[in-house]
Amino acid sequence: EADIYQTPRYLVIGTGKKITLECSQTMGHDKMYWYQQDPGMELHLIHYSYGVNSTEKGDLSSESTVSRIRTEHFPLTLESARPSHTSQYLCASSRGTSDAGELFFGEGSRLTVL
Amino acid sequence: GEDVEQSLFLSVREGDSSVINCTYTDSSSTYLYWYKQEPGAGLQLLTYIFSNMDMKQDQRLTVLLNKKDKHLSLRIADTQTGDSAIYFCAESSNTGFQKLVFGTGTRLLVSP
């Protein structure tokens, strides 16, 4: 069973609010990721991190920002939420080796912006 | 950029075999994966295959890889209602960083 946790699981907020989606893992993985999953099910990488103090933008442009101050923690922040940000956000982590590289996923945070 | 395509939906009866297909465009793909997503949950790795393999079998799961045609398939033998989920194909190239490109996902519905 993967030890990666996301909170909140569900969030409904109004336009203009600042939100932070939390992601924590207890596996000591160096690499962490945020994926956005749209209603059509496809996943898009929006942020990733190689380790502490490392953050990179993914393939899909996103207005969100991330930080990696501690190995186990990789929060995602939206300064001013809009309805277009409504989506499911999935956090994942993996070991820092060049093996097959299994991603361990959290259960997701479903965000609805009214 | 890389692209991974899957059919959106598959319906089978319990006890039948299911075959989920995937095509990809990146010829430098090193690893190809199948992930499963159950309702309300994150993705879970089912199996993966290294690009120099043609086939991998793991209990009820059989993965076939045709590297020439860039075609990957997942066969589930004796499909059960508990196999109903969304199945994602994914690929990565060996950059030492597990940046996966996911397919669109195939929703498998198993009826009794």
Side-chain angles (χ1 to χ4, degrees), chain A residues 9 31 33 35 37 41-43 48 50 59 90 94-95 97 100-103 105-107, chain B residues 31 33 35 37 40-43 45 48 86 88 94 96-100 102 104-105 107:
Chain A
R9 291 290 313 278
K31 295 173 181 173
Y33 316 76
Y35 283 86
Q37 185 174 27
M41 305 182 296
E42 195 166 355
L43 284 86
Y48 59 97
Y50 289 100
D59 301 322
L90 291 168
S94 68
R95 291 193 301 265
T97 59
E102 178 180 359
L103 292 186
F105 281 85
E107 292 186 310
Chain B
Y31 293 100
Y33 308 81
Y35 279 81
Q37 185 179 30
L43 279 71
L45 181 67
Y48 67 90
I86 302 172
F88 289 91
N94 189 16
F97 176 73
Q98 285 80 40
K99 185 181 169 188
L100 270 61
F102 284 88
T104 49
R107 186 181 296 273

Side-chain angles (χ1 to χ4, degrees), chain B residues 71-85:
Chain B
H71 182 265
L72 182 75
S73 67
L74 173 70
R75 179 177 180 270
I76 306 173
D78 188 24
T79 313
Q80 303 297 306
T81 54
D83 294 324
S84 293

Side-chain angles (χ1 to χ4, degrees), chain A residues 6-12 19-22 89 108-111:
Chain A
Q6 291 185 240
T7 57
R9 291 290 313 278
Y10 302 93
L11 179 63
V12 180
I19 65 110
T20 296
L21 304 180
E22 303 286 351
Y89 294 85
S109 293
R110 185 169 294 281
L111 172 66

Side-chain angles (χ1 to χ4, degrees), chain A residues 70-90:
Chain A
R70 302 198 315 267
T71 297
E72 62 271 20
H73 197 214
F74 191 40
L76 180 146
T77 298
L78 275 164
E79 289 293 333
S80 179
R82 293 206 301 271
S84 61
H85 297 138
T86 294
S87 190
Q88 164 127 289
Y89 294 85
L90 291 168

